Amino acid sequence: MSYQLHLEPTGQTVEVDDDQTILDACLRAGVWLPHACCHGLCATCKVRVLDGEVEHGDASPFALMDFEREEGRTLACCARLQSDVVIEADLDEEPDALNLPVQDYRATVTRLERLTPTIRAVHLRLDRPMAFQAGQYVNLEIPSVEGRRAFSIASPPAQGQDLELHVRIVQGGAATTCIHERLQVGDTLALAGPYGRFFVRKSVHARDGRPLLFMAGGSGLSSPRSMILDLLQHEGRDWPITLVYGQRHRAELYEHEAFLALAERFPNFTYVSALSHEPEGSDWTGPRGWLHEVAARHFKGDFSGRKAYLCGPPAMIDACLDTLMQGRLFERDIHTEKFLSAADAQRVRSPLFRSV
């Protein structure tokens, strides 16, 4: 059985199966709704029910309070329709968004590569090509692990049938432990995608020529890698691009030589590496310090006139946001991607920062 979901103010209509959440049905129809944690914890996907009945599902009582339920609010990532429904959602226009529908795929593991002691590259061959924007991610189903896990796509869209994922092992994490210790070449996995609203606003650069700044920490390099390779392969091959990439130690600084080679090949591309905990006396001659500190030194504290894309752990992103804003770069020119744990999702976010 299915119901009709009508969205205001856009006037779009989506068919929703009775076992689907509002969010899943919309994304699979190519209709974007704001969301983040997808577990009913962060309230990013909160919408207002104008007409009809919904079942709230596993929405946290802190993310969706009793009085809000009584007022007709619900969380799109948890809510299921009980009738035809009309909702009102806070939808931002993104002229560069392709709004690609989420689809299900089967993928075969073709290669496994140890990038660092804690990060493994997983190369997948899909059963058919996936259209995606550089910077987006997939939800991967891991054998014997409940639920799906989100991983950024590290390869550019031109390799649509061959995806590369960079997976950092998380202590105590069932999914990442399985990928690092038990996954084998030839294994078949299920995944869904593309997801996410993290992509280069190409029309902005084409209009005003702003230099692009990418800041990445840890395995957060995945999305910027895809975005930069895509730009250098296509319209961005002449755009000013800077990547500032940080790790703790030299052994963790993967793709270092590849980015050095790209900087040699493309005069418009600048690569800045940063190591925060490299032992004194080692043979490392590059910049030392936290990623945001190294970036501030490189740009002499002035980030004005740029468009920034940040990807990495929440603490890194928060530190970079502070540094960028102190350097005269503000919300409208900063875009971020961070995957939220349950603890992260419940952190209070300032209403001043809707896009970051």
Side-chain angles (χ1 to χ4, degrees):
M1 185 175 182
S2 64
Y3 298 105
Q4 296 295 308
L5 175 70
H6 185 81
L7 292 93
E8 294 292 351
T10 62
Q12 295 163 294
T13 298
V14 174
E15 185 170 333
V16 184
D17 292 337
D18 54 9
D19 63 345
Q20 274 186 304
T21 65
I22 290 175
L23 179 62
D24 182 60
C26 286
L27 294 181
R28 289 179 180 275
V31 176
W32 173 260
L33 287 181
H35 62 281
C37 77
C38 296
H39 298 295
L41 298 170
C42 71
T44 303
C45 65
K46 191 176 295 180
V47 297
R48 183 184 177 193
V49 179
L50 300 178
D51 188 48
E53 299 294 329
V54 303
E55 199 278 313
H56 296 294
D58 297 327
S60 162
F62 300 102
L64 186 67
M65 297 183 180
D66 289 342
F67 77 89
E68 292 179 303
R69 298 172 194 239
E70 294 171 1
E71 291 176 350
R73 308 286 179 177
T74 195
L75 301 185
C77 72
C78 297
R80 289 174 168 79
L81 303 193
Q82 304 294 297
S83 69
D84 291 344
V85 167
V86 179
I87 65 169
E88 182 180 55
D90 185 12
L91 302 175
D92 291 330
E93 290 293 328
E94 280 285 2
D96 289 294
L98 297 183
N99 294 319
L100 300 165
V102 170
Q103 300 182 44
D104 294 310
Y105 298 83
R106 300 295 296 178
T108 302
V109 180
T110 58
R111 184 158 62 98
L112 295 166
E113 181 183 2
R114 185 70 62 186
L115 299 176
T116 78
T118 60
I119 300 174
R120 196 177 201 190
V122 180
H123 296 262
L124 302 172
R125 177 77 174 180
L126 303 185
D127 56 0
R128 64 191 188 281
M130 175 192 289
F132 67 93
Q133 289 185 268
Q136 292 191 292
Y137 67 92
V138 296
N139 279 336
L140 188 66
E141 189 174 304
I142 313 297
S144 73
V145 177
E146 184 178 357
R148 294 189 173 190
R149 301 296 190 273
F151 297 103
S152 294
I153 303 171
S155 46
Q159 299 173 207
Q161 195 163 355
D162 294 290
L163 300 189
E164 182 176 344
L165 311 178
H166 297 167
V167 181
R168 180 179 66 87
I169 191 167
V170 177
Q171 186 174 6
T176 60
T177 297
C178 179
I179 290 173
H180 274 252
E181 298 181 0
R182 296 192 293 278
L183 193 64
Q184 300 292 324
V185 171
D187 286 351
T188 301
L189 305 172
L191 61 85
Y195 290 94
R197 205 70 159 177
F198 190 57
F199 52 82
V200 176
R201 274 60 179 178
K202 295 180 180 180
S203 65
V204 175
H205 184 91
R207 183 175 66 247
D208 58 25
R210 293 188 184 187
L212 302 175
L213 169 61
F214 296 89
M215 301 176 75
S219 58
L221 181 63
S222 300
S223 291
R225 179 182 187 268
S226 176
M227 298 158 96
I228 291 168
L229 291 177
D230 181 55
L231 287 169
L232 294 178
Q233 288 173 357
H234 298 99
E235 63 269 69
R237 64 177 67 247
D238 298 318
W239 296 357
I241 301 170
T242 300
L243 167 65
V244 184
Y245 173 45
Q247 280 280 19
R248 294 174 62 85
H249 306 290
R250 177 64 184 89
E252 299 170 331
L253 195 71
Y254 73 98
E255 294 286 332
H256 180 63
E257 287 76 15
F259 281 116
L260 288 174
L262 280 178
E264 285 288 329
R265 180 182 173 190
F266 294 95
N268 61 304
F269 174 62
T270 301
Y271 169 57
V272 181
S273 53
L275 297 181
S276 60
H277 290 73
E278 180 69 4
E280 293 295 334
S282 73
D283 60 359
W284 174 252
T285 58
R288 295 173 182 261
W290 294 106
L291 166 65
H292 60 283
E293 297 171 338
V294 171
R297 292 200 298 267
H298 179 81
F299 289 101
K300 296 179 174 58
D302 184 4
F303 297 97
S304 59
R306 301 180 183 276
K307 199 78 171 172
Y309 297 86
L310 282 53
C311 192
M316 180 222 98
I317 288 180
D318 290 344
C320 288
L321 285 173
D322 289 343
T323 299
L324 291 175
M325 294 193 69
Q326 290 171 14
R328 299 169 59 204
L329 195 65
F330 302 103
E331 180 195 358
R332 65 182 180 274
D333 296 317
I334 305 173
H335 303 275
T336 71
E337 178 78 318
K338 54 184 175 184
F339 295 126
L340 302 176
S341 67
D344 295 326
Q346 295 182 73
R347 295 174 62 194
V348 175
R349 300 174 71 194
S350 167
L352 295 175
F353 294 92
R354 294 176 57 197
S355 67
V356 301

